[in-house]
Amino acid sequence: MVKNKNSNIAALNTFKNKAFITKTPQETRNLAKKFASVLKSGDIVFLNGELGSGKTTFTQGITKFFGNKGFARSSSFMIVNEYQAFDNLKLFHLDLYRLNKLSIFDIGIEEYLYSDNISLIEWPQRLIDAQNENHWNIKIENLTNKRRITIEKKK
Ligand SMILES: Nc1ncnc2c1ncn2[C@@H]1O[C@H](COP(=O)(O)OP(=O)(O)OP(=O)(O)O)[C@@H](O)[C@H]1O
Ligand SMILES: [Mg+2]
């Protein structure tokens, strides 16, 4: 049973094409935890932002929403970390930093992306076909003492 199949309209309006300021990692996690309520089966979330901007921190808020106690970590040794989302759905956290430009199919991640699960992708610009995908785009900008986090829905 998918909890929010008809994704929550109020939450959608709160987050779609909006920008937020966070001053601490905890504020970023809290924002991400609230944003996670819009996610549904099959969604792809791109996390854009320079090194250390807060992409993994944002991911931690999302895994927390889905009840995962363990914190998402930077996946230094793995490209994909797997968490439980809804009862029958998984949440995949992919970090493509170490990859050269490749297609989704070259690296065989289509089975994650084109599934009924939810995928969060750090460094999505490593994917040459990324811009064509229907996805949420989270852009994190590192400003003096704060982050500006813009949430857009593409397509
Ligand atoms: N408002 C904020 N939101 C998120 N992180 C913040 C904020 N303020 C400071 N930080 C710090 O910035 C760092 C963000 O690290 P994080 O691993 O989330 O970045 P990342 O974008 O995933 O980096 P990488 O590209 O290396 O994977 C942490 O050290 C965190 O404590
Ligand atoms: Mg990271």
Side-chain angles (χ1 to χ4, degrees):
M1 173 69 183
V2 177
K3 255 194 251 168
N4 50 355
K5 185 121 186 153
N6 303 310
S7 61
N8 175 340
I9 304 289
L12 205 61
N13 289 333
T14 306
F15 294 107
K16 193 173 166 182
N17 305 328
K18 298 273 161 51
F20 302 85
I21 297 287
T22 66
K23 294 195 170 139
T24 62
Q26 195 52 45
E27 283 181 23
T28 294
R29 281 185 211 105
N30 288 340
L31 172 67
K33 192 174 166 197
K34 290 184 193 133
F35 163 72
S37 69
V38 309
L39 295 176
K40 54 187 174 46
S41 165
D43 277 354
I44 300 174
V45 181
F46 287 175
L47 296 156
N48 278 295
E50 59 195 41
L51 278 170
S53 57
K55 301 178 293 296
T56 300
T57 304
F58 194 90
T59 300
Q60 290 166 352
I62 294 179
T63 57
K64 205 162 177 208
F65 172 81
F66 290 111
N68 290 275
K69 295 211 180 67
F71 254 9
R73 282 161 293 125
S74 297
S75 35
S76 308
F77 304 105
M78 310 242 304
I79 287 178
V80 185
N81 281 320
E82 189 179 311
Y83 302 87
Q84 200 63 36
F86 304 117
D87 292 347
N88 299 311
L89 293 193
K90 292 190 167 102
L91 182 70
F92 297 115
H93 174 210
L94 293 87
D95 188 339
L96 307 183
Y97 182 67
R98 283 156 211 86
L99 297 184
N100 291 319
K101 285 237 173 227
L102 286 166
S103 129
I104 288 168
F105 299 94
D106 290 333
I107 53 174
I109 58 170
E110 69 274 16
E111 62 186 285
Y112 297 111
L113 269 46
Y114 309 129
S115 67
D116 294 333
N117 298 293
I118 297 171
S119 297
L120 312 175
I121 310 184
E122 293 191 42
W123 298 98
Q125 59 271 52
R126 297 287 192 264
L127 299 171
I128 54 181
D129 30 18
Q131 292 316 312
N132 303 323
E133 304 303 314
N134 178 2
H135 62 272
W136 285 95
N137 192 49
I138 312 295
K139 183 175 77 180
I140 310 182
E141 295 164 280
N142 196 341
L143 309 176
T144 320
N145 297 325
K146 61 188 180 194
R147 302 290 195 270
R148 180 163 54 222
I149 303 179
T150 310
I151 302 180
E152 299 168 305
K153 183 90 165 88
K154 299 285 187 182
K155 282 193 173 174

